Amino acid sequence: MSASISHFSPPFSESSIASSISVFPGAANNFRLSGGSRLVVHGGAGSFCWRFRGLKLRILKRLNRQQHVPANELKGIRNQDKVQSENPSSNDEQYSKAASTISLSNGSAEEHTRTTSQPKTSTLPPVTTSSLNLSVDGNHGRPSLCIAVIGATGELAKKKIFPALFALYYSGFLPENVGIFGYSRKDLTDEELRSLIASTLTCRIDHQRDCGDKMDAFLSRTYYLNGGYDNKEGMSKLNSRMEQIEGGYRANRIFYLSVPHEALQDVASSLGDNAQTKKGWNRIIIEKPFGFDAVSSQLFTKSLLSKYEEKQIYRIDHLLGRNLIENLTVLRFSNLVFEPLWSRTYIRNVQVILSEDLSMPRGRYFDGYGVIRDIVHSHMLQTIALLAMEPPISLDGEDIRNEKVKVLRSIRELEPSDVILGQYKATSQDKVDVSLSSRTPTFFAAALYIDNARWDGVPFMIKAGVGLIKHRLEIRIQFNSVPGNLYRERLGHNTDLATNELILRDVPDEAILVKINNKIPGLGLHLDASELNLLYKDKYNVEVPDSYEHLLLDVIDGDNHLFLRSDELAAAWSIITPVLQWIDQDNMAPELYELGGRGPVGSYYLWAKHGVRWADD
């Protein structure tokens, strides 16, 4: 609910508001004037929103008589109210997330819309006798949003989830009255959980303001529950504890399932039956890998959809929360210089590279799942889908996911000759898992082709590996050579000079690079391949939020475009299932490579086969 009233500056008095309110039956139950010309609104979100619609139209009509207000603004609000009145059930989520504050002071009018996902900073002027503030007192200090971390004593929760939640709280992206719940099988008290996570919480380097007070406030709103070994009983107890803290008021709930994968289905099912609120929306976050194979993934998805709606399910992959991924659509769709070139006509190949060095620890499940299920299935294929999709009709998450799944369904079935597997050689002296199964790949390289009109014949080369020489995450888009290039004699056989390239780098040193041909200053004509360089650390003097912060904020906002939908999940499994079957049937074995090296030699031959020069370290 919002009213666009930022384009006019009328005089305004309490009497005009009071007369507007008086036309509504029962308005006195929701509105009262307090000291300092402050109008406080009481009541449930639903009844407040229904009454306020008429109020804002009445206010705008009155102002229109005093000063011209564009007719299309009034018309837009009427149309919005009409849609909402025809679909009252669709507004529950909006009511719980939005509260509008209108401040009219010194002859100016501004609207400030506050949601649980926006910073609680204010640009309101100091309150004077001539000002009027319209604010909402919803839950009387009780939580309007509750977040439960299932598996709260695990390493992921302690090192990533709780620090990300505090970072959002410290920066104002969580409501002050948020409720944080930790749930596990350990026998802890509230204070013991707070002590456990306190050492992992840090404040923003670029802020550090009121750090101690914010941390104390966050920890005071953190609660613990020992769920025991019966998930149904445990989730019922969690629901009771959350209801106790919520105090019977309307509140939304998010459940983050940070649990071992073998326990995931039972936990999700028990939660769906026993812990969902009926007084707000519920959302559930599930960590990768999303199944062991296509069959197990399909069974788990079926179980989830029997307890939750698709829009409630957020399958999270922290690699998709990197700024590089979020910037893909911005770079492409907001810059005219790139979008016309984004097709087979101008692009020769695309490379998506993710290599991890020895400093990057792997989860305990890695031996059973390997790099294909852990990295390729989600991160690599999602990156390609975002790169190659058609322009969505809007930035709505479902519109973007509709386009992504079309790309995944258009990827040609892989051939064994287009896939290279590898496994690092390690000894007991190396600080890595040396007990890997002989069939567990730690390196994967492949050439993918998208069979549609835009990308026909363009190889998408992907490389994902662990235990390599350096940590590296980047996308390289190489363009075709200039037809009939006037400088071909100067270029000779140097393909580096002949090829323009767009490089989107996340690690090391986040940057956007454009490789162009350029004349070297001086006498004579000598060409050089130069890079136009946007280095983020030089341009933007800000601390980059962790990817978990980004994705958790998206969940709170209901933005699901970076999370896999069930049909995307199935389409991704259909791409990698043949490779997994070749491994299981011993038709394809990993090539050994040196730990800390560059990976299997076969990957270089694969790139050469498809006419692509490896962008080496």
Side-chain angles (χ1 to χ4, degrees):
M1 175 192 63
S2 63
S4 298
I5 56 172
S6 57
H7 303 295
F8 50 89
S9 303
F12 211 70
S13 67
E14 288 187 32
S15 59
S16 62
I17 284 287
S19 62
S20 297
I21 294 174
S22 65
V23 302
F24 300 104
N29 296 329
N30 291 81
F31 299 87
R32 67 176 176 82
L33 284 171
S34 62
S37 301
R38 184 176 178 84
L39 186 66
V40 181
V41 184
H42 295 280
S47 85
F48 165 70
C49 290
W50 286 106
R51 286 173 177 155
F52 189 67
R53 283 197 196 97
L55 172 60
K56 69 185 178 187
L57 277 173
R58 175 74 177 239
I59 291 173
L60 290 174
K61 288 178 181 177
R62 179 181 295 272
L63 296 173
N64 194 29
R65 287 195 292 266
Q66 300 178 26
Q67 181 169 335
H68 176 68
V69 180
N72 60 341
E73 290 196 12
L74 291 172
K75 182 179 179 182
I77 294 174
R78 290 193 189 98
N79 290 339
Q80 181 187 28
D81 293 343
K82 179 181 178 182
V83 171
Q84 292 175 339
S85 65
E86 291 173 352
N87 301 279
S89 61
S90 68
N91 296 301
D92 290 345
E93 195 164 312
Q94 297 176 21
Y95 294 157
S96 65
K97 291 172 62 179
S100 295
T101 300
I102 302 176
S103 171
L104 300 114
S105 178
N106 301 324
S108 65
E110 290 184 296
E111 181 200 13
H112 298 270
T113 302
R114 176 183 297 166
T115 68
T116 59
S117 65
Q118 292 177 323
K120 289 199 167 185
T121 57
S122 176
T123 56
L124 291 172
V127 176
T128 64
T129 55
S130 62
S131 69
L132 181 146
N133 292 325
L134 184 62
S135 62
V136 177
D137 183 8
N139 286 22
H140 301 278
R142 297 288 187 165
S144 58
L145 173 66
C146 288
I147 303 173
V149 181
I150 315 300
T153 56
E155 290 301 305
L156 177 64
K158 289 187 293 184
K159 293 181 178 180
K160 290 294 184 180
I161 302 173
F162 284 116
L165 289 172
F166 173 66
L168 292 174
Y169 183 82
Y170 176 72
S171 301
F173 288 99
L174 290 181
E176 289 286 345
N177 61 356
V178 68
I180 307 293
F181 295 82
Y183 175 103
S184 79
R185 293 173 175 174
K186 290 187 177 180
D187 190 14
L188 300 176
T189 63
D190 291 349
E191 285 301 325
E192 287 173 329
L193 175 66
R194 292 164 186 169
S195 298
L196 186 67
I197 66 175
S199 61
T200 67
L201 307 183
T202 57
C203 295
R204 288 274 186 238
I205 295 174
D206 50 355
H207 291 169
Q208 292 292 330
R209 192 173 56 249
D210 302 325
C211 181
D213 293 341
K214 281 286 189 178
M215 194 173 294
D216 291 341
F218 177 81
L219 292 173
S220 71
R221 306 205 63 82
T222 303
Y223 313 94
Y224 180 76
L225 180 72
N226 178 1
Y229 287 86
D230 185 334
N231 284 323
K232 293 182 180 178
E233 181 182 348
M235 292 302 167
S236 295
K237 291 194 294 185
L238 175 62
N239 181 58
S240 298
R241 185 73 190 278
M242 295 176 86
E243 287 181 340
Q244 176 190 3
I245 300 299
E246 291 164 356
Y249 289 95
R250 179 185 181 88
N252 303 311
R253 293 180 182 178
I254 294 173
F255 301 92
Y256 198 124
L257 272 55
S258 176
V259 299
H261 298 280
E262 57 269 20
L264 194 55
Q265 184 164 337
D266 184 53
V267 171
S269 179
S270 300
L271 191 156
D273 287 333
N274 300 286
Q276 295 195 79
T277 182
K278 295 181 173 60
K279 297 182 178 180
W281 48 253
N282 299 273
R283 292 170 186 160
I284 179 173
I285 304 174
I286 298 170
E287 273 280 351
K288 65 171 185 174
F290 310 116
F292 185 77
D293 53 27
V295 175
S296 63
S297 178
Q298 183 180 10
L299 290 174
F300 182 44
T301 297
K302 185 177 180 181
S303 174
L304 283 176
L305 293 177
S306 69
K307 307 295 181 182
Y308 309 92
E309 297 179 35
E310 182 69 57
K311 65 181 181 180
Q312 294 179 266
I313 303 169
Y314 288 75
R315 298 176 180 88
I316 190 171
D317 180 348
H318 71 280
L319 291 171
L320 295 175
R322 308 289 297 190
N323 188 63
L324 166 68
I325 303 300
E326 184 70 13
N327 204 27
L328 285 178
T329 52
V330 176
L331 191 71
R332 177 179 169 188
F333 297 124
S334 67
N335 293 285
L336 184 60
V337 68
F338 293 125
E339 177 56 21
L341 308 180
W342 220 258
S343 71
R344 62 188 296 272
T345 306
Y346 298 101
I347 292 178
R348 185 164 69 181
N349 64 75
V350 177
Q351 301 178 48
V352 181
I353 303 165
L354 189 155
S355 63
E356 295 184 351
D357 58 18
L358 302 182
S359 66
M360 303 298 294
R362 305 308 310 166
R364 67 175 182 83
Y365 62 84
F366 188 77
D367 181 27
Y369 286 81
V371 71
I372 300 177
R373 296 178 175 94
D374 183 42
I375 297 176
V376 176
H377 174 257
S378 175
H379 172 70
M380 303 299 278
L381 293 181
Q382 283 289 300
T383 301
I384 288 176
L386 285 165
L387 264 171
M389 69 180 184
E390 295 297 316
I393 61 174
S394 77
L395 292 178
D396 178 75
E398 292 305 317
D399 291 334
I400 293 175
R401 298 206 288 189
N402 289 340
E403 299 304 329
K404 286 195 298 175
V405 76
K406 292 177 185 176
V407 173
L408 295 174
R409 287 173 175 166
S410 299
I411 292 178
R412 186 186 305 170
E413 184 175 344
L414 282 167
E415 298 290 339
S417 60
D418 286 337
V419 176
I420 296 294
L421 301 180
Q423 186 184 74
Y424 57 63
K425 294 186 296 183
T427 66
S428 57
Q429 296 178 346
D430 297 314
K431 297 180 180 180
V432 295
D433 186 358
V434 296
S435 60
L436 288 175
S437 163
S438 61
R439 295 190 301 185
T440 301
T442 59
F443 180 97
F444 177 90
L448 302 177
Y449 286 88
I450 300 172
D451 290 331
N452 63 21
R454 182 183 289 268
W455 298 110
D456 185 33
V458 177
F460 283 74
M461 313 299 292
I462 62 175
K463 171 183 128 174
V466 300
L468 297 173
I469 190 171
K470 67 188 297 186
H471 187 33
R472 182 180 177 199
L473 179 57
E474 67 181 24
I475 299 165
R476 306 180 78 99
I477 301 167
Q478 293 185 348
F479 293 89
N480 290 319
S481 300
V482 177
N485 196 326
L486 295 175
Y487 296 95
R488 57 184 176 274
E489 294 181 0
R490 302 283 179 176
L491 296 171
H493 298 289
N494 191 336
T495 56
D496 284 343
L497 283 175
T499 303
N500 298 126
E501 192 171 16
L502 172 64
I503 305 169
L504 311 177
R505 178 177 298 152
D506 185 76
V507 178
D509 297 331
E510 186 171 0
I512 299 175
L513 312 171
V514 180
K515 186 186 291 186
I516 63 168
N517 298 324
N518 183 54
K519 178 185 178 297
I520 300 175
L523 300 176
L525 184 59
H526 303 284
L527 301 187
D528 178 46
S530 305
E531 289 180 347
L532 305 180
N533 185 344
L534 170 60
L535 195 61
Y536 277 56
K537 66 181 182 181
D538 292 341
K539 175 67 175 178
Y540 305 107
N541 186 27
V542 295
E543 183 183 2
V544 179
D546 184 78
S547 57
Y548 279 92
E549 296 176 43
H550 184 176
L551 294 173
L552 280 168
L553 183 58
D554 282 350
V555 175
I556 295 167
D557 287 342
D559 182 355
N560 54 16
H561 81 281
L562 293 177
F563 301 84
L564 275 75
R565 200 167 59 188
S566 296
D567 54 352
E568 290 182 84
L569 190 65
W573 277 115
S574 69
I575 296 167
I576 67 171
T577 293
V579 182
L580 299 176
Q581 291 174 343
W582 300 334
I583 297 173
D584 292 340
Q585 296 165 5
D586 290 326
N587 293 330
M588 180 173 288
E591 177 185 337
L592 295 178
Y593 62 93
E594 292 293 332
L595 189 65
R598 299 184 184 276
V601 175
S603 62
Y604 291 88
Y605 289 103
L606 177 63
W607 258 238
K609 171 187 171 182
H610 293 274
V612 181
R613 183 181 181 277
W614 237 149
D616 218 340
D617 296 299

